[in-house]
Amino acid sequence: MGVIRLLVLIISSVWLTCGSAQAEKRVALVIGNSAYKNVPQLPNPANDAALVGDMLRKAGFDFVEIKTDLTAIETRKALREFGGRARDAAVAVIYYAGHGIELDGTNYLIPTDARLETDTDVYDEAFPLDRVLVAVEPAKQLRLIILDACRDNPFANKMKRTLASRGIGRGLAKVEPTSPNTMVAYAAKAGSTASDGNAQNSPFAVALVERLPTPGLDLRKAFGFVRDDVLKTTGYQQEPYVYGSLGGEDVPLVPAKPVATGPQANPDAEIRRDYELALQLGTRDGWTAFLNRFPSGFYADLAKGQLNKISAEETRTAAAEKARQAEEEKARLVAERAKKTDQDKATATAKAAEDARLAAEKVKHVEEAKAAAAEQRRKEIEAAVAKTLADRQATQNKGDAEQKIAALPSPARSPELAQSPQELTQAVQSELRRVGCLANVENGEWGAKSQRSLMLFNKYAGTKLNTSLASSDALDAIKGRSGRVCPLVCDHGFRADGDTCVKIACRVGYHVNDDNECEKVQERRPVAARKNASKRDAERQSTEATPTKPEVKSTGQIYCNNSGCRPVRPGCRLVESGQITANSTTAGKTIEVCN
């Protein structure tokens, strides 16, 4: 009887073990369609399928099947076989990269041999998204479909419409899965298109491989990180989106690694969990609620930074709306042929609104940079704290727990981030030089020049940092500035152009004056003319100064006057022409007159 009981216990144990293993089974189907036969080929889907499939294998999936360039028959067979594998699995994932189309609100995946000459061909040659949902439906815990199929569809422009009211949308349409614990992730929000990027893989596939395999990371948060990565990579042109819902428990794609139990839990674990929930929500109400519960501390400072980021975005939105209204008012005045003064006023208002919008944009970018830097510091500190806790556990196993617990750093600052005074001084000097407040090369000594540079930064940045020494607060404040803060000062004859001094070039006939502006050259009288004038003045003065020779009376033989002397014949005399009648031919001469 005891033997029978032992056999029953062994069989029950084996059955429970097998059932548990089956419950945790994870399977995946990865499809990448690049070589389309009737439209231009896509470069990246096959590469993206290989990248995602390799990620899932490394993540420990029990079954991963990668299929590329499937025809309609091959697609139908692959979905049918995968549906059978999903029946005894806990997690089922399908990733599809290729062309997709939305017709009358329904999404379809297009095989490589499709000929969509008319809109009704879609019903026969493409696969509705509902068919893919059916393939993952048997999974017990999680059903995940990832669609990188929101590209510009070449079929849509060539199709003939059989019914004018039948709509063909841009990108894919919204979807609401009816099965519980089902998520559908799009590479781009419904109604928009995704980019293949300029590299071997699409930005969406790269972000998926980076974020999804993180052990213990909830899928909702993982796809939130994917969204942020794709937005930054595409210049905020492409926004991934997730549809469906999960329960209250965390649902990671890769289970968390088991952690050895320590003597005590992280005291900030609850605060960190609430912070991450508020970060995922990303609204003013969420951050306000977090600060009401945790008004101070490291995570409270991070939450305040996130609130500043939201405020900057709201200010930018308000400024943009005001600018739009000002432009509309300006257009209305022009259309109604308003008076010139009204038009000028509307133009000035529009310009002021645009300047305010640009300023708000700048503030928003600054706050985003601050929030990103703070978030990065939070991650580094949390990693350092986690590493320290693991070291403490190892040391405790060796019998030295109390010494390691006393050496644990404060959560507010990790020892890995500590800097020597000289390194901190060099870092502050380097940042002051970057924002244009320090011209000399940093040497690690905090002298009078460095103090004046930090005073200039306080003046133009509106801060009140202590200038007597280099501090981590000063380093963080300067790093938060993305561009030049202190104005650029140039020598005479040069002007500031961005972050460099450019020589001022004046056109012909102009020169740079003392005010550093182009001024017309004044004309001067020729030197030769002045010399001739001076010569004539000297001759005139010399003539006036020379005394006139007295006239010498004639002796009868010689006649002398101012012009000189000449002989005269006896019985004759010389007279001036003025003594002769006006009709004399000798007018203007001295003539000889005889009796």
Side-chain angles (χ1 to χ4, degrees):
M1 195 66 169
V3 175
I4 295 175
R5 288 182 179 178
L6 180 61
L7 289 174
V8 171
L9 289 175
I10 293 174
I11 293 172
S12 300
S13 176
V14 171
W15 181 79
L16 290 174
T17 303
C18 294
S20 176
Q22 288 181 349
E24 299 300 326
K25 184 177 180 181
R26 295 176 297 165
V27 296
L29 173 62
V30 179
I31 301 175
N33 287 344
S34 288
Y36 281 89
K37 300 177 182 179
N38 300 308
V39 291
Q41 297 187 2
L42 293 173
N44 284 346
N47 299 332
D48 295 341
L51 183 66
V52 173
D54 184 63
M55 178 269 291
L56 294 172
R57 285 171 177 165
K58 292 179 180 179
F61 269 62
D62 301 279
F63 173 82
V64 178
E65 186 175 27
I66 302 175
K67 299 282 190 178
T68 57
D69 302 329
L70 297 184
T71 63
I73 296 176
E74 293 169 342
T75 303
R76 186 177 296 106
K77 179 181 178 182
L79 292 175
R80 182 170 59 249
E81 292 177 352
F82 183 76
R85 294 184 181 276
R87 290 190 181 93
D88 59 347
V91 177
V93 179
I94 293 182
Y95 170 86
Y96 173 83
H99 277 309
I101 191 171
E102 179 258 321
L103 184 66
D104 280 346
T106 301
N107 300 313
Y108 295 86
L109 308 184
I110 304 176
T112 56
D113 60 343
R115 284 184 180 274
L116 306 182
E117 297 179 355
T118 65
D119 50 8
T120 56
D121 293 342
V122 175
Y123 301 130
D124 301 322
E125 300 194 37
F127 290 86
L129 181 58
D130 290 342
R131 176 65 185 90
V132 183
L133 288 168
V134 169
V136 298
E137 192 174 23
K140 307 298 187 300
Q141 295 179 5
L142 173 65
R143 308 165 187 87
L144 175 61
I145 296 176
I146 305 174
L147 298 180
D148 194 357
C150 306
R151 299 168 174 82
D152 284 327
N153 187 1
F155 291 97
N157 297 329
K158 298 179 180 180
M159 284 184 190
K160 295 180 181 179
R161 304 294 181 90
T162 59
L163 188 63
S165 60
R166 181 173 290 119
I168 300 177
R170 184 171 182 262
L172 298 180
K174 294 181 180 180
V175 62
E176 290 297 337
T178 57
S179 300
N181 296 328
T182 302
M183 294 182 67
V184 179
Y186 284 1
K189 185 186 294 186
S192 61
T193 58
S195 170
D196 268 344
N198 300 322
Q200 184 178 4
N201 298 104
S202 70
F204 183 62
V206 173
L208 288 174
V209 173
E210 177 68 19
R211 299 295 186 178
L212 292 188
T214 304
L217 181 62
D218 182 68
L219 273 179
R220 289 159 289 200
K221 188 173 181 181
F223 277 110
F225 288 141
V226 169
R227 169 192 173 274
D228 294 343
D229 293 345
V230 174
L231 280 173
K232 292 177 182 178
T233 303
T234 60
Y236 295 89
Q237 298 297 317
Q238 177 182 337
E239 180 183 7
Y241 216 81
V242 177
Y243 300 91
S245 63
L246 301 178
E249 297 294 333
D250 286 353
V251 183
L253 188 67
V254 179
K257 296 180 180 179
V259 180
T261 59
Q264 63 181 19
N266 184 0
D268 292 335
E270 182 181 0
I271 302 176
R272 174 186 174 183
R273 183 174 63 253
D274 291 346
Y275 175 85
E276 290 175 348
L277 289 175
L279 182 65
Q280 183 177 356
L281 185 60
T283 62
R284 177 181 292 275
D285 293 338
W287 290 118
T288 302
F290 177 84
L291 288 174
N292 290 337
R293 185 174 182 185
F294 307 104
S296 62
F298 174 69
Y299 287 94
D301 294 339
L302 294 179
K304 292 174 184 177
Q306 294 291 341
L307 273 178
N308 292 338
K309 176 181 174 182
I310 293 174
S311 298
E313 173 61 19
E314 291 174 350
T315 303
R316 184 199 67 80
T317 303
E321 178 62 21
K322 188 174 181 181
R324 183 189 65 78
Q325 293 175 357
E327 287 293 338
E328 290 179 355
E329 178 66 13
K330 176 184 173 182
R332 185 186 67 79
L333 291 174
V334 172
E336 294 177 358
R337 297 182 179 179
K339 295 180 180 179
K340 186 178 184 300
T341 55
D342 292 338
Q343 294 180 4
D344 293 342
K345 181 179 179 181
T347 302
T349 303
K351 184 178 184 302
E354 180 65 16
D355 293 341
R357 184 187 67 80
L358 294 175
E361 286 277 5
K362 185 176 180 181
V363 172
K364 174 196 170 187
H365 293 325
V366 170
E367 294 300 336
E368 285 180 344
K370 287 182 179 179
E375 183 65 15
Q376 181 62 28
R377 289 199 302 274
R378 177 183 74 85
K379 293 178 181 178
E380 293 173 353
I381 290 173
E382 290 174 355
V385 171
K387 182 177 181 300
T388 304
L389 291 174
D391 293 342
R392 183 203 304 173
Q393 178 62 30
T395 306
Q396 181 185 5
N397 294 336
K398 295 178 181 179
D400 198 15
E402 293 182 358
Q403 181 179 358
K404 275 297 179 178
I405 292 174
L408 276 175
S410 171
R413 183 171 295 275
S414 171
E416 296 179 9
L417 303 179
Q419 293 178 312
S420 67
Q422 184 176 6
E423 291 175 344
L424 181 59
T425 300
Q426 289 178 344
V428 174
Q429 289 174 339
S430 176
E431 288 300 316
L432 285 172
R433 179 176 177 84
R434 179 181 65 79
V435 298
C437 297
L438 178 62
N440 298 329
V441 179
E442 57 273 8
N443 54 11
E445 296 181 2
W446 191 258
K449 292 184 179 179
S450 299
Q451 293 178 7
R452 286 196 298 272
S453 299
L454 189 53
M455 289 175 63
L456 286 175
F457 178 84
N458 282 337
K459 176 182 178 181
Y460 291 104
T463 57
K464 296 181 179 180
L465 300 172
N466 184 7
T467 61
S468 61
L469 75 164
S471 63
S472 59
D473 292 337
L475 180 61
D476 293 340
I478 302 172
K479 279 186 176 181
R481 302 288 174 163
S482 58
R484 172 178 288 276
V485 175
C486 298
L488 181 64
V489 180
C490 299
D491 295 334
H492 180 266
F494 292 80
R495 60 178 176 84
D497 185 4
D499 292 337
T500 58
C501 292
V502 180
K503 187 175 182 180
I504 299 174
C506 298
R507 59 181 178 177
V508 178
Y510 287 77
H511 71 104
V512 180
N513 60 12
D514 295 338
D515 295 331
N516 231 30
E517 297 178 350
C518 290
E519 181 181 65
K520 188 173 183 181
V521 179
Q522 298 294 332
E523 295 184 358
R524 299 181 180 178
R525 298 177 61 186
V527 178
R530 291 201 303 272
K531 288 183 178 180
N532 293 337
S534 299
K535 182 177 180 181
R536 287 196 300 271
D537 293 342
E539 291 177 351
R540 184 172 64 254
Q541 293 174 1
S542 175
T543 303
E544 292 175 354
T546 304
T548 303
K549 296 181 181 180
E551 182 178 351
V552 180
K553 298 297 182 177
S554 174
T555 60
Q557 297 298 319
I558 299 175
Y559 176 81
C560 298
N561 59 10
N562 292 336
S563 301
C565 300
R566 57 174 292 184
V568 182
R569 291 181 299 171
C572 299
R573 66 181 186 279
L574 295 177
V575 296
E576 297 296 331
S577 60
Q579 301 176 9
I580 309 301
T581 58
N583 59 358
S584 172
T585 59
T586 60
K589 299 180 180 179
T590 302
I591 61 174
E592 187 179 52
V593 179
C594 300
N595 296 329

